[in-house]
Amino acid sequence: MQSKELRIGIVGVGAIGRTHIERINGQLQGAKVVACSDSNIEFGKSVAEKYGCSFFEDGEAMIASDEVDALIVTTIDDFHEQYVMAAIKAGKHVFCEKPLAPKADACKRIVEAEIAGGKQLVQVGFMRRYDPGYRQLKDAIENRTYGEPLMLHCAHRNPAVDENYTTPMAVENSMIHEIDVIRWLLNEEYTSAEVVFAKNTRRTHKDLMDPQIMILTTESGVRIDVEAFVNTGHCYDIKCEVCCEDAILNLPEPANIGVCANAFRGHEIHSDWSTRFVEAYNVEIQEWINATKEGRVDGPTAWDGYIGQMTAAAASKARDTQTKVAIKPETKPEFYK
Ligand code: ISE
C-alpha cells in the first residue's frame, strides 16, 4: 500500500469530519477521502456530493467495503466504540477523534479487541501532541535541559460553550486534552485527582459550574493544576507553564500579527480551538496517513485513550464527591510498548 494513495472513509461528517476531508483532499499528501457516512442521510449525501466521494447509509458497510483502506471516526462520542470496533473487525487502521469512547470501560473493550486482533490499528485524536509549542516543551522536559519538572500550571479557556455543555464536560470534554498531553509531556502516570470550584461566572447556566480547577499528581510527585474556564466571553486561551528545577518554561503562543490601535499594543490571539490548533491537526493527520501506509500506529494509542478516560473518571468522581481520589497506575500491556 506504501506508494498508493490511501483511500479513507469518514464516519460522521457533521463537524470536524468535514474539516478533515478538506485538509486531506486539499492540503495533505498521500491520501484521499473516497467515502463518507452520516446518520443524517440527506446531509451526508450533500457532503459526499460536495467533496466528490461515495456515500454509505450504513457506516459499518463502508468500513467493511473494499473501497476504503482506512477510517476516520468523527461521529458524536457515543458512537465511537461501535465504529472503532467495526474497523478492528475489518482489520483496518482507524483514527478516532477524542475521546476514544465516553466511558473507560468502553475504551477497555476497544483495547481488548485490538489486542485479540493481534495488530495495532487504533489512533486517538489527541492533537495537542502535534502542536509545535507542546513539542518544544516535550524536548526540554525529556532532555532535562532545565532540570526536573516539579509542577505545572495550566489553563484551558474557551470563549463560550452551548447550553448542552454541563459540569462534567469541563473534565471529560475539555481538560481531557490536558490529561493526555501532560501525561505525554512528563512520561509518567497520575496517582490522584481533585476538582475544586471557583466562583461561578455570570455567563454560565444552572447545569454548569464554571470555572473549575483540576489538580493531578504523578507517580514522582509532580503537581499539576488546570483551570477550565469555558465561558470567558472573549478568548480561546491555552496555557501550560512548567516549573522545572532551573527554569520556568511556557507553552509558546502561536505567532500572530502585532496590532497597535486605539492606544493599545498587543498580539491577535485565536478565538477558537479549530484555528488555534490548525497546524497540530494538519501534522497529526499527515503523520497518521504516513504511518498507516506503513502499517504502523505511531500516535496516541487505544491504551492512551483508555488511560485518559480512566483518569477523567477519577477526576469526575473527585468533583462529585469533593474528595481527593487515588488513581492506581496500570501496567501498560506489552502489546503497546
Ligand atoms: C472541544 O470539544 C475540544 O476538543 C476543544 O479542543 C476544547 O478546547 C473544547 O473545550 C472542547 O469543548
Side-chain angles (χ1 to χ4, degrees):
M1 197 195 290
Q2 208 127 352
S3 56
K4 253 178 54 200
E5 203 163 57
L6 187 73
R7 298 167 309 159
I8 297 173
I10 300 200
V11 204
V13 287
I16 196 170
R18 257 181 341 225
T19 334
H20 286 332
I21 299 181
E22 282 172 11
R23 79 176 88 248
I24 292 167
N25 289 0
Q27 298 171 53
L28 306 185
Q29 309 298 316
K32 187 157 194 282
V33 176
V34 295
C36 73
S37 175
D38 198 277
S39 58
N40 182 337
I41 309 288
E42 283 322 304
F43 171 73
K45 280 184 179 164
S46 70
V47 172
E49 196 177 329
K50 177 169 179 195
Y51 295 105
C53 55
S54 344
F55 180 74
F56 284 73
E57 289 193 11
D58 177 353
E60 294 192 30
M62 179 182 77
I63 292 169
S65 153
D66 287 342
E67 277 184 43
V68 304
D69 305 313
L71 285 311
I72 293 184
V73 176
T74 42
T75 59
I76 56 168
D77 301 352
D78 286 336
F79 292 102
H80 286 184
E81 179 184 7
Q82 176 189 340
Y83 293 119
V84 170
M85 286 294 211
I88 294 173
K89 192 166 158 220
K92 293 181 182 173
H93 281 257
V94 55
F95 175 92
C96 178
E97 270 305 338
K98 67 88 197 167
L100 179 56
K103 296 279 171 248
D105 56 356
C107 297
K108 194 68 183 285
R109 287 194 288 273
I110 292 174
V111 163
E112 285 163 358
E114 194 180 32
I115 294 177
K119 185 172 178 347
Q120 267 199 61
L121 295 170
V122 182
Q123 180 167 325
V124 184
F126 284 128
M127 83 298 188
R128 292 211 189 165
R129 296 187 185 201
Y130 298 86
D131 175 70
Y134 276 111
R135 286 190 161 182
Q136 286 177 50
L137 278 183
K138 178 143 174 92
D139 276 350
I141 293 171
E142 245 172 29
N143 298 329
R144 295 296 189 263
T145 315
Y146 302 100
E148 285 291 311
L150 309 175
M151 58 183 166
L152 281 81
H153 308 295
C154 308
H156 189 143
R157 303 185 181 122
N158 290 54
V161 287
D162 63 31
E163 64 287 356
N164 299 319
Y165 188 110
T166 52
T167 295
M169 291 174 74
V171 166
E172 288 155 20
N173 188 274
S174 296
M175 290 189 284
I176 186 73
H177 283 294
E178 275 78 12
I179 289 175
D180 178 72
V181 83
I182 294 165
R183 174 173 167 266
W184 171 77
L185 282 176
L186 297 175
N187 198 19
E188 53 174 320
E189 302 296 340
Y190 300 117
T191 52
S192 75
E194 285 167 82
V195 175
V196 295
F197 300 114
K199 181 172 169 178
N200 260 350
T201 163
R202 65 179 159 78
R203 290 195 185 82
T204 193
H205 58 83
K206 70 172 181 22
D207 296 321
L208 173 60
M209 300 289 282
D210 184 38
Q212 302 179 25
I213 299 166
M214 176 176 71
I215 301 152
L216 300 167
T217 51
T218 69
E219 287 168 302
S220 77
V222 180
R223 199 165 178 86
I224 302 128
D225 52 85
V226 186
E227 167 205 310
F229 184 9
V230 296
N231 283 294
T232 59
H234 52 83
C235 65
Y236 186 72
D237 189 22
I238 302 298
K239 300 243 177 285
C240 180
E241 182 175 82
V242 187
C243 301
C244 297
E245 294 268 15
D246 304 320
I248 312 292
L249 313 177
N250 274 288
L251 179 69
E253 293 280 343
N256 285 328
I257 55 166
V259 178
C260 180
N262 303 324
F264 169 85
R265 193 195 305 276
H267 288 267
E268 282 190 350
I269 66 164
H270 291 277
S271 54
D272 180 43
W273 50 269
S274 60
T275 58
R276 163 65 180 85
F277 285 109
V278 70
E279 196 176 342
Y281 281 116
N282 287 342
V283 177
E284 173 189 47
I285 302 292
Q286 184 66 64
E287 290 192 8
W288 174 72
I289 291 169
N290 299 347
T292 299
K293 288 174 87 167
E294 289 170 9
R296 294 180 295 111
V297 174
D298 66 3
T301 62
W303 179 254
D304 295 317
Y306 164 62
I307 294 294
Q309 286 321 106
M310 212 257 295
T311 309
S316 285
K317 184 170 170 201
R319 177 196 61 238
D320 293 344
T321 55
Q322 285 297 287
T323 57
K324 179 170 174 174
V325 171
I327 301 171
K328 200 166 160 287
E330 293 191 30
T331 314
K332 194 194 264 191
E334 271 308 312
F335 185 79
Y336 292 105
K337 282 182 185 159

